[in-house]
Amino acid sequence: MDRILVVDDDVLILAALSRILQAEGYDVVTHSNPAAAAREVGFQVVLTDFMMPYLNGIELLGALREKNPKAVRLMLTAAADFRTASEAVNRGEVFRLLGKPWSLSDLTSSVRQAFAHYRLVDANERLSREVAEKNAELVAINRDLERRVVERTAGLLDGLISALDYRDTETQWHSRRVSLYSRRLAQEVGMTGGALDVVEQGALLHDIGKIGVRDSILLKPGPLTPEEWVEMRKHPEFGYRMLAKMPYLHEAALIVLQHQERWDGKGYPQNLAGEDIVLGARIFCLADTVDAITSDRPYRKGRPMSVARDEIRRCAGTQFDPALAEAFLNIPETEWQRIRQEVEALEAAENERWNNDPLGPPAPLARASGA
């Protein structure tokens, strides 16, 4: 029930106000002593006289405001001077001033408006709290969705890489190394957050299009013919078409499409040059060369990182983005050794898992000639 506190040191006026407001359906609490009234709580509207002993109306409202901050304040005053009204309004204590003697319609209308104002402010605060709570829930839901997307995307990438690994047993750990090399170089040039994830994903999946290359070409033990090279060189486009329609892999798909482009425009499939090549693909090109030089191949042993650094330096501005080449050369060799050791640990753990699998490890296919 709407509750109003009425304070006036004139008991006759107080009784009259009480009868009027009770007739309007309000729960009325009255006080002729403002000091006693200052201790009241639990009302929505207060109506007080201005001129009273001990505490005047403004002083009373100030005291009441501490325990009843949301209560709407009305004041009766016979002091027809603007200073009183101005002081009450400017101090933010009073919703409306009522003159003595009052008009019945003005009194009841003002009280109704005061309660309506209270309900409006209360509803606004409640809705604001609810919105804040819902926003917090939404943030938590979005955070959980993002976590699930990351987990499922990681699972999808692992599945795609495993699918390729069944066809080309050399690819998986090369892809893992190159993806981490690419991420480290991307960090060196100032990339952060999601952009790093895109570079790592694109590098990890760079050869996924080889799934679309015929076994007779992909697994051929000897050199490819010119006609076979035409099909092999379509693997960036095959990979792009596989990934581009997946919203979370669209940017990574561009790296897959352009991973065989060169800074000087002599790459494929689009003969892009310079900064027309997406940054992630430019980063991958350099990381891929580093891994190719330093890793064992069926026809040779891996060479030292110093050889890779010399090659990057020599091909800066032709095969490689010169700014990326400089950034690579600024990174200590120990960083690349650390990454390689991380991948070797993953490979050892994977081999152990397969050795303990009831079905045993998958049967290896013939080595691909590479592209």
Side-chain angles (χ1 to χ4, degrees):
M1 186 175 181
D2 292 337
R3 194 164 188 251
I4 182 170
L5 171 64
V6 181
V7 186
D8 197 306
D9 62 314
D10 187 327
V11 293
L12 294 178
I13 293 177
L14 192 63
L17 289 170
S18 178
R19 285 194 301 271
I20 293 169
L21 295 174
Q22 285 177 347
E24 291 289 315
Y26 301 115
D27 179 15
V28 182
V29 179
T30 61
H31 278 282
S32 60
N33 182 347
R39 295 190 290 270
E40 284 287 346
V41 294
F43 51 89
Q44 294 86 42
V45 175
V46 54
L47 172 63
T48 180
D49 188 21
F50 174 63
M51 295 298 295
M52 296 183 294
Y54 311 115
L55 292 174
N56 66 34
I58 294 176
E59 292 168 339
L60 172 62
L61 292 178
L64 288 170
R65 191 172 191 176
E66 294 181 10
K67 295 182 179 178
N68 305 271
K70 295 197 298 181
V72 182
R73 290 163 283 278
L74 302 173
M75 183 179 290
L76 287 165
T77 180
D81 61 339
F82 287 103
R83 188 181 66 81
T84 300
S86 175
E87 184 181 1
V89 173
N90 289 338
R91 286 176 57 177
E93 299 289 349
V94 176
F95 175 72
R96 181 159 299 173
L97 285 167
L98 297 170
K100 281 186 175 181
W102 64 82
S103 144
L104 180 61
S105 60
D106 191 27
L107 173 65
T108 54
S109 174
S110 296
V111 172
R112 281 196 298 271
Q113 290 173 20
F115 276 106
H117 180 77
Y118 177 90
R119 285 190 287 269
L120 181 63
V121 171
D122 186 62
N124 181 65
E125 291 180 356
R126 176 173 47 79
L127 289 173
S128 296
R129 287 194 302 271
E130 290 176 2
V131 168
E133 290 169 1
K134 294 298 181 184
N135 284 341
E137 290 177 15
L138 186 59
V139 168
I141 290 170
N142 285 339
R143 190 180 296 117
D144 186 56
L145 286 174
E146 290 172 3
R147 178 186 59 78
R148 293 187 184 188
V149 167
V150 169
E151 290 175 354
R152 291 176 183 178
T153 299
L156 174 63
L157 299 189
D158 286 340
L160 289 172
I161 292 300
S162 296
L164 179 58
D165 191 45
Y166 277 117
R167 302 196 66 215
D168 180 2
T169 55
E170 186 179 339
T171 300
Q172 181 180 21
W173 302 111
H174 159 71
S175 297
R176 300 285 184 183
R177 288 191 300 272
V178 171
S179 69
L180 295 178
Y181 287 165
S182 297
R183 186 182 184 97
R184 178 62 185 86
L185 182 53
Q187 288 175 319
E188 187 70 15
V189 297
M191 296 179 74
T192 59
L196 288 175
D197 295 335
V198 168
V199 170
E200 184 176 348
Q201 290 167 356
L204 184 64
L205 293 168
H206 71 277
D207 268 344
I208 196 66
K210 286 183 178 179
I211 290 177
V213 177
R214 288 178 294 163
D215 285 352
S216 61
I217 296 174
L218 181 65
L219 306 178
K220 185 176 180 178
L224 300 180
T225 67
E227 293 78 15
E228 290 169 335
W229 270 112
V230 171
E231 180 171 342
M232 177 63 81
R233 288 184 173 182
K234 290 180 180 179
H235 79 271
E237 297 172 79
F238 293 160
Y240 174 77
R241 289 173 184 153
M242 289 174 62
L243 303 177
K245 292 183 179 180
M246 301 180 191
Y248 297 104
L249 293 177
H250 178 73
E251 292 179 82
L254 291 175
I255 297 174
V256 172
L257 176 63
Q258 299 178 15
H259 78 273
Q260 290 289 355
E261 303 288 359
R262 291 170 46 118
W263 181 258
D264 59 9
K266 295 181 180 179
Y268 65 89
Q270 297 173 298
N271 303 117
L272 299 176
E275 294 186 359
D276 288 340
I277 306 167
V278 296
L279 179 56
R282 285 181 268 147
I283 289 172
F284 165 82
C285 180
L286 193 150
D288 184 52
T289 298
V290 170
D291 190 64
I293 292 172
T294 58
S295 298
D296 292 341
R297 290 290 185 266
Y299 48 86
R300 64 157 175 81
K301 294 289 289 181
R303 287 169 286 181
M305 181 59 71
S306 59
V307 176
R309 290 172 65 87
D310 289 342
E311 181 70 4
I312 298 302
R313 189 179 290 109
R314 183 180 70 82
C315 295
T318 54
Q319 185 176 353
F320 308 120
D321 179 336
L324 291 177
E326 182 179 357
F328 166 78
L329 295 171
N330 287 334
I331 299 173
E333 289 187 25
T334 53
E335 281 290 279
W336 309 115
Q337 293 168 359
R338 175 185 61 78
I339 293 171
R340 178 174 284 275
Q341 289 168 359
E342 286 181 10
V343 177
E344 287 174 352
L346 288 173
E347 183 176 9
E350 180 75 1
N351 290 337
E352 179 68 19
R353 186 176 70 83
W354 280 119
N355 289 335
N356 294 326
D357 191 284
L359 297 178
L365 299 176
R367 291 288 185 189
S369 57

